[in-house]
Amino acid sequence: MDFSFSDEQRAIAEMADGLFRDYCTDERQRAWELTGEPFMGELWRTCVETGLHALAIPEDAGGSGLGMTELLCVLQAQGASLALVPLWPHQLAAATLARWGGDAHAEQVAQAAEGGVMLSLSLAGLAAGLGIGLRLEPVEGGFSLSGEVGAVPLAAQADWLLLVAEGADGPRLVLLDPRAEGVERVEGIANHGLAVADLHCHNVLLTAEQVLPAAALTWLETRAIAATAALQLGVSDEQIRRTVDYVSERRQFDRAIGSFQAVQMTMADARIAAEALRSSLYQLCYRLDQGLGCESEALATRYLACEAGHLIGHKTQHVHGGIGVDLTYPIHRYLYWSRDLGLALGGPAATLDRLGQWLANNDTLGWKYDLEENQGIR
């Protein structure tokens, strides 16, 4: 079996890695943090020029029409460099509108593919302890949207937002203009520096076209999990690489601390967590690109991403000792990103709860029963 990327996928990964590493040096990261900008606007414009913002947008809508594996390659590179740009929310929101929104949103998708508008999204309500905070009520001519949703990425900067709202027939994706009448924004900053905003909606009127079919939410959620996990894998890989370099050079008792058994075991645990996530994530992206069912694979990947982010973030921080909490040293940024991505994924407990419910309702012995030769065998 050949698990390697294709030549095209490797070329995309190398191009993205070179772009992000050239821009996001430690010195430029430190300088950018002092600017107060909501995201890396100059880098975002470069992403638009190179087409990285539209990889997953369908070709007939102006995008590249590539799959989740190609997007995975870019997001890993983005995570490794801590490039603060809305690559996956923008293009997955546009791809969702292209697939499920029909002709009503064709112009918005085309503008997103060109880079003329920015889209963002939040699925936080699906894993929140208090549940979905937005409510849909049918009214004459459409729907009324009320309630609130917290920490929506770039809600004040984006032109359109995809959010989850609870309707009479279950949760649905809604397309919201963040500047519409009845929308109140309370702006803030996430752990890793990205601008966010709490949205309070007071009887915001939506057309029927702004409420997507129920199937759109499942389609988007699995891809959003893959995208967020890919960022986490990129962050974690770079955390480990930098930490290995550090413990190989830092000396104590006339020895590199990396030669101490406790440090070696700590880093081995971190590597195991990263490789477990990589295996699950790659399988998930493959199944998404092949159109195979992947609800359980998505939940398993989400759990592993939460666990890896927490474990690797804290273990790598720990072996850095006192320098790990020095804000002039770069390793703390990776911990901030890991924490933010863990929050976006909803945490391991909520994920295990959903995965357990799925297993209780699907009485098979695992993923192999999805193979063609096992169909019908239970």
Side-chain angles (χ1 to χ4, degrees), residues 241-322:
R241 186 194 69 78
R242 285 176 176 251
T243 305
V244 169
D245 288 346
Y246 175 77
V247 300
S248 299
E249 297 172 1
R250 175 75 167 89
R251 300 184 69 82
Q252 190 65 272
F253 307 112
D254 296 324
R255 294 171 56 187
I257 64 173
S259 66
F260 299 155
Q261 187 179 37
V263 175
Q264 292 175 351
M265 293 176 67
T266 294
M267 296 311 300
D269 287 342
R271 174 55 67 190
I272 290 169
E275 293 308 317
L277 172 57
R278 193 187 320 277
S279 176
S280 180
L281 173 60
Y282 285 14
Q283 183 197 37
L284 173 59
C285 289
Y286 169 80
R287 295 181 70 85
L288 286 169
D289 288 342
Q290 297 301 313
L292 300 172
C294 57
E295 182 180 356
S296 60
E297 288 82 0
L299 292 172
T301 299
R302 192 169 87 170
Y303 170 75
L304 290 170
C306 292
E307 289 289 280
H310 180 82
L311 184 146
I312 296 170
H314 285 79
K315 286 187 179 293
T316 54
Q317 195 78 16
H318 175 71
V319 299
H320 274 85

Side-chain angles (χ1 to χ4, degrees), residues 136-337:
L136 271 177
E137 296 289 343
V139 296
E140 184 177 355
F143 294 87
S144 172
L145 183 68
S146 297
E148 59 186 49
V149 56
V152 178
L154 298 177
Q157 291 74 32
D159 297 280
W160 293 93
L161 304 171
L162 266 185
L163 304 172
V164 182
E166 190 68 57
D169 54 352
R172 303 284 286 271
L173 283 173
V174 298
L175 183 65
L176 177 68
D177 178 355
R179 296 162 189 80
E181 183 178 355
V183 178
E184 177 188 354
R185 299 193 305 269
V186 181
E187 298 183 34
I189 301 175
N191 288 350
H192 60 329
L194 186 71
V196 297
D198 295 342
L199 297 181
H200 301 267
C201 297
H202 308 283
N203 297 318
V204 181
L205 295 179
L206 304 178
T207 65
E209 290 77 14
Q210 287 178 265
V211 180
L212 301 186
L217 179 56
T218 301
W219 187 89
L220 175 58
E221 185 187 16
T222 52
R223 286 159 177 79
I225 289 171
T228 310
L231 279 177
Q232 182 63 77
L233 182 58
V235 171
S236 296
D237 278 345
E238 185 67 9
Q239 274 178 310
I240 294 172
R241 186 194 69 78
R242 285 176 176 251
T243 305
V244 169
D245 288 346
Y246 175 77
V247 300
S248 299
E249 297 172 1
R250 175 75 167 89
R251 300 184 69 82
Q252 190 65 272
F253 307 112
D254 296 324
R255 294 171 56 187
I257 64 173
S259 66
F260 299 155
Q261 187 179 37
V263 175
Q264 292 175 351
M265 293 176 67
T266 294
M267 296 311 300
D269 287 342
R271 174 55 67 190
I272 290 169
E275 293 308 317
L277 172 57
R278 193 187 320 277
S279 176
S280 180
L281 173 60
Y282 285 14
Q283 183 197 37
L284 173 59
C285 289
Y286 169 80
R287 295 181 70 85
L288 286 169
D289 288 342
Q290 297 301 313
L292 300 172
C294 57
E295 182 180 356
S296 60
E297 288 82 0
L299 292 172
T301 299
R302 192 169 87 170
Y303 170 75
L304 290 170
C306 292
E307 289 289 280
H310 180 82
L311 184 146
I312 296 170
H314 285 79
K315 286 187 179 293
T316 54
Q317 195 78 16
H318 175 71
V319 299
H320 274 85
I323 199 171
V325 296
D326 182 352
L327 297 185
T328 64
Y329 191 79
I331 198 66
H332 71 279
R333 297 190 185 96
Y334 293 87
L335 180 63
Y336 287 169
W337 271 68

